[in-house]
Amino acid sequence: MGLTASGTKTILLVSVLHGCLFLIAGSGTEDPLDSSTMDISSRRFRAEFLQEWQGSADAPYFDASTPRNITGLVGHPVRLLCRVKNLQNRTVSWVRHRDIHLLTVGRYTYTSDQRFEAQHKPRSEEWALRIRSPQRRDSGQYECQISTTPPIGHAVYLNIVEPETTISSGPELFIQAGSTINLTCTVRHTPEPPSSITWTHGAQVINFDSARGGISLVTEKGLKSTSRLLVQRARGADAGLYTCGPNNAPPSSTRVHVLSGEHPAAMQQGCAKSSLDRITSIACCLLSLYLLRKPSFNLHFGT
Ligand SMILES: *[C@@H]1O[C@H](CO)[C@@H](O)[C@H](O)[C@H]1NC(C)=O
Ligand SMILES: *[C@@H]1O[C@H](CO)[C@@H](O)[C@H](O)[C@H]1NC(C)=O
Ligand SMILES: *[C@@H]1O[C@H](CO)[C@@H](O)[C@H](O)[C@H]1NC(C)=O
């Protein structure tokens, strides 16, 4: 009802304005002082301005409030929405930018890819493109187009993400014996927060009530979930592979090296033995050098 009332109001306003413009244009032509110039300019005014103005009042347009950046999850249906006002007898299509592939035309799905589907309820302003089981490669730009001449488009960016687990320290962590191992595991892009996030050290599940003591775990669940593992007063036996395993995302691991001040040789060997990448080996060796240079080791370099 509200729509009808405002529609009527718009039509009335258009008619009134229309009339006014003709009066203005008309009065110009009757001016006896400057008739020839006025005649030309008013005709041009009438022709150009009114035509353009009528055209724009008539033309279809996109509702700019629909989201232009959609994030979806791998394997979970996602919908790109386009809302068109004043469509009249034109057609709305969805096009994939990557390969300029026509996906839908009006209510019909044009592509042979069964995962795509045109969605439209009769008499609604919404023209949606649904992707049943999106994959990472479906990420990119899509465009909703109206068949005006020239066609007008509304771009929507689709970002398809997968569940992801990361540990803040990266693949390797070097710490001094006696300090705290502090590992933060972050879980993103899961359909719902993980119901559990398990930490293991080697093959053993870490329990904060284990005989080791000094272990604490703080887990926060939400859009992005985190689990922080703190192991106080680290010693040699705490070294090794730590894995964070959410129930609904892939696991992530980090190798912890506990650098013992009393045994620089063992530590150096540890550096050489483990399969480190170049940067971590350099970091490890610099750290070894630094520790070796400390007076407590009583070592001297070529002096
Ligand atoms: C879309 O949003 C995501 C985060 O929600 C952002 O990372 C990305 O850069 C955005 N893309 C565009 C094209 O705006
Ligand atoms: C839409 O209707 C107008 C007349 O109202 C006509 O000139 C035009 O060709 C039609 N366009 C389509 C795509 O049918
Ligand atoms: C652990 O590290 C995080 C940053 O990664 C820091 O905010 C936090 O305070 C640290 N906790 C302890 C007990 O060191």
Side-chain angles (χ1 to χ4, degrees), residues 234-291:
R235 47 190 187 235
D238 296 322
L241 196 67
Y242 285 78
T243 303
C244 162
N247 67 303
N248 59 353
S252 177
S253 298
T254 187
R255 187 168 292 280
V256 173
H257 303 269
V258 179
L259 308 176
S260 155
E262 288 121 58
H263 302 290
M267 180 193 71
Q268 273 185 307
Q269 211 180 28
C271 283
K273 267 203 305 201
S274 58
S275 57
L276 303 176
D277 61 40
R278 196 166 297 166
I279 293 165
T280 36
S281 348
I282 292 168
C284 182
C285 293
L286 285 176
L287 194 61
S288 319
L289 275 175
Y290 168 75
L291 292 172

Side-chain angles (χ1 to χ4, degrees), residues 58 87-91 147-148:
D58 202 30
L87 182 65
Q88 298 165 341
N89 62 350
R90 278 88 165 202
T91 311
S147 64
T148 46

Side-chain angles (χ1 to χ4, degrees), residues 68-71 141 157 159:
R68 289 173 155 265
N69 187 358
I70 305 286
T71 299
Q141 192 150 312
Y157 193 85
N159 196 25

Side-chain angles (χ1 to χ4, degrees), residues 2 10 59 83 96 98 116 128 171 207-208 223 276 281 285:
T10 311
R83 203 173 284 127
R96 178 168 64 205
R98 167 158 57 88
F116 291 88
N207 273 314
F208 44 89
L223 214 59
L276 303 176
S281 348
C285 293

Side-chain angles (χ1 to χ4, degrees), residues 6-291:
S6 77
T8 316
K9 221 182 273 178
T10 311
I11 291 163
L12 276 172
L13 193 68
V14 166
S15 321
V16 169
L17 276 171
H18 213 152
C20 289
L21 286 163
F22 268 107
L23 277 176
I24 295 165
S27 71
T29 56
E30 281 156 26
D31 195 324
L33 294 172
D34 219 343
S35 67
S36 60
T37 39
M38 281 304 278
D39 192 35
I40 294 164
S41 66
S42 67
R43 260 192 223 158
R44 187 175 295 157
F45 171 76
R46 205 167 2 180
E48 290 178 359
F49 180 78
L50 284 182
Q51 191 181 26
E52 198 176 285
W53 181 70
Q54 268 189 317
S56 67
D58 202 30
Y61 61 96
F62 296 102
D63 177 346
S65 69
T66 57
R68 289 173 155 265
N69 187 358
I70 305 286
T71 299
L73 276 175
V74 165
H76 289 253
V78 69
R79 212 163 165 260
L80 305 186
L81 187 64
C82 172
R83 203 173 284 127
V84 180
K85 308 279 190 188
N86 204 12
L87 182 65
Q88 298 165 341
N89 62 350
R90 278 88 165 202
T91 311
V92 176
S93 308
W94 276 100
V95 175
R96 178 168 64 205
H97 254 231
R98 167 158 57 88
D99 49 2
I100 321 289
H101 191 52
L102 185 62
L103 300 167
T104 69
V105 176
R107 300 180 61 191
Y108 302 98
T109 308
Y110 230 70
T111 176
S112 58
D113 188 331
Q114 300 284 307
R115 300 173 308 129
F116 291 88
E117 188 195 344
Q119 286 190 333
H120 173 71
K121 286 203 196 83
R123 285 180 298 281
S124 94
E125 294 177 331
E126 294 187 356
W127 301 83
L129 171 67
R130 184 179 189 263
I131 311 176
R132 188 164 41 80
S133 179
Q135 303 302 313
R136 287 292 286 267
R137 66 186 153 83
D138 294 318
S139 296
Q141 192 150 312
Y142 292 77
E143 194 172 284
C144 172
Q145 290 187 347
I146 306 175
S147 64
T148 46
T149 36
I152 51 170
H154 174 86
V156 177
Y157 193 85
L158 176 66
N159 196 25
I160 298 294
V161 295
E162 298 188 279
E164 174 189 287
T165 310
T166 52
I167 297 182
S168 57
S169 62
E172 307 266 346
L173 176 69
F174 296 90
I175 63 143
Q176 274 293 340
S179 59
T180 300
I181 300 172
N182 177 355
L183 299 175
T184 306
C185 175
T186 306
V187 187
R188 288 186 186 85
H189 310 322
T190 52
E192 60 271 333
S195 58
S196 72
I197 300 178
T198 309
W199 283 93
T200 54
H201 174 213
Q204 280 211 302
V205 174
I206 297 174
N207 273 314
F208 44 89
D209 56 356
S210 73
R212 158 86 176 61
I215 293 177
S216 61
L217 272 172
V218 180
T219 300
E220 278 174 38
K221 290 178 188 175
L223 214 59
K224 178 179 98 175
S225 300
T226 61
S227 175
R228 176 164 296 154
L229 171 70
L230 294 172
V231 180
Q232 279 159 13
R233 295 176 303 280
R235 47 190 187 235
D238 296 322
L241 196 67
Y242 285 78
T243 303
C244 162
N247 67 303
N248 59 353
S252 177
S253 298
T254 187
R255 187 168 292 280
V256 173
H257 303 269
V258 179
L259 308 176
S260 155
E262 288 121 58
H263 302 290
M267 180 193 71
Q268 273 185 307
Q269 211 180 28
C271 283
K273 267 203 305 201
S274 58
S275 57
L276 303 176
D277 61 40
R278 196 166 297 166
I279 293 165
T280 36
S281 348
I282 292 168
C284 182
C285 293
L286 285 176
L287 194 61
S288 319
L289 275 175
Y290 168 75
L291 292 172

